Amino acid sequence: MRTGIKIFFLLILASCSAPNSDEKITNSENYTDTLISNPSDTLNNSTTLLPSETYLSFIKYLDSIEIKTDTVRFTKVSLYPNHNYEIINADGFPIYKLDTRQTAPFQNNSNFLLSHRSGFNDSLSRTFHIDTTKYLKAKNVWGHFFTFPEDRTSDAFFEEWEFSDSNTAKEIAEELDYCMEYAYMHRGAYIFYMDKHVYIFHSRWGIWPLKKIVKTFVERYNPDIPETTNDYLDTSL
């Protein structure tokens, strides 16, 4: 049953090449440099609450290969969580401090169950229901928004979820991976876990533009890889 669902979902992802035209932003004035030379008053320069070194080091790597963040563009695109986040300055990079309730799995799960109560998607809801109250165990959730050098109109989001222990991180990562078909509806995600952290890559353009950088993440840090994410890494569409 699950294998058939995954094959169906892979075909859906392969056919979804881009978001709707009204979501595209092509004005070059929207792009900003990743490094912050003079952090504004809106940035929290906290040195006591920061993402992990793994997370920051990969963001620095992305920047080194011209995969840049764009805080202006982020406020203008859809299909990402609510934009009302605190931005911290972490080693010169703007990182979003996320509210767990505003992440894509939390929002999509609520919307999916609402449609279920209205009489739609009954079988899928029973198959893929996730208990999002467990996500509230996350101590910190960080987000990094970036664009690709070959096409600045395409973009993605890289998250780190921190938990109090490695067992909880593993449980959440494996559940998100299993329920990915609607936790990241129509788009998919790459989900990993390592120590007390869960790492998530997702894009409104689907998972395929992310494959190259995600494989680099795996090679550099050797995280644990749940089943569906591993299937996506092994699949070339």
Side-chain angles (χ1 to χ4, degrees):
M1 174 66 178
R2 188 184 173 199
T3 301
I5 293 172
K6 285 198 293 187
I7 293 173
F8 176 73
F9 186 60
L10 286 170
L11 292 174
I12 291 177
L13 288 175
S15 65
C16 297
S17 60
N20 295 332
S21 59
D22 60 356
E23 293 172 356
K24 295 180 181 179
I25 301 171
T26 57
N27 186 347
S28 61
E29 292 179 359
N30 288 330
Y31 304 126
T32 59
D33 292 333
T34 298
L35 292 176
I36 304 174
S37 56
N38 294 300
S40 69
D41 293 337
T42 62
L43 295 180
N44 177 2
N45 291 290
S46 170
T47 58
T48 59
L49 184 62
L50 291 172
S52 72
E53 182 56 38
T54 296
Y55 187 70
L56 288 177
S57 67
F58 195 67
I59 290 172
K60 293 175 184 177
Y61 163 74
L62 293 178
D63 182 73
S64 73
I65 58 173
E66 298 301 316
I67 296 179
K68 304 283 188 178
T69 194
D70 189 340
T71 56
V72 174
R73 179 182 174 80
F74 180 65
T75 64
K76 299 179 182 294
V77 297
S78 59
L79 291 181
Y80 288 111
N82 185 292
H83 296 138
N84 295 322
Y85 294 132
E86 175 187 6
I87 305 178
I88 69 162
N89 176 10
D91 289 350
F93 293 84
I95 308 295
Y96 294 94
K97 180 74 171 67
L98 310 183
D99 183 330
T100 309
R101 295 174 181 85
Q102 295 172 321
T103 59
F106 212 102
Q107 291 186 333
N108 287 338
N109 188 62
S110 298
N111 293 336
F112 200 88
L113 293 182
L114 180 63
S115 68
H116 168 56
R117 287 194 294 271
S118 301
F120 300 101
N121 301 318
D122 183 76
S123 61
L124 280 176
S125 184
R126 286 199 302 269
T127 304
F128 294 120
H129 171 62
I130 51 180
D131 180 8
T132 49
T133 59
K134 292 188 293 187
Y135 299 177
L136 300 178
K137 296 179 182 179
K139 297 171 60 178
N140 295 294
V141 182
W142 306 100
H144 176 69
F145 175 81
F146 58 87
T147 62
F148 296 92
E150 62 274 13
D151 182 3
R152 293 296 188 188
T153 65
S154 61
D155 43 60
F157 211 50
F158 173 38
E159 298 176 17
E160 177 183 76
W161 297 40
E162 180 188 1
F163 295 90
S164 58
D165 60 87
S166 58
N167 288 334
T168 302
K170 179 178 184 291
E171 176 187 6
I172 295 298
E174 291 183 342
E175 183 174 86
L176 272 179
D177 181 82
Y178 180 79
C179 299
M180 185 195 303
E181 284 87 343
Y182 83 92
Y184 295 90
M185 188 68 77
H186 304 313
R187 293 175 284 147
Y190 291 104
I191 300 170
F192 308 95
Y193 61 96
M194 184 167 46
D195 299 326
K196 298 185 295 183
H197 299 95
V198 175
Y199 298 94
I200 303 170
F201 295 83
H202 62 101
S203 170
R204 64 197 182 110
W205 292 71
I207 60 174
W208 310 118
L210 294 168
K211 191 169 185 177
K212 183 176 180 179
I213 65 171
V214 166
K215 284 194 170 185
T216 300
F217 179 83
V218 171
E219 292 169 358
R220 288 170 70 98
Y221 304 109
N222 192 31
D224 291 294
I225 308 175
E227 181 180 347
T228 303
T229 294
N230 190 62
D231 289 346
Y232 289 168
L233 288 171
D234 289 340
T235 303
S236 57
L237 290 178

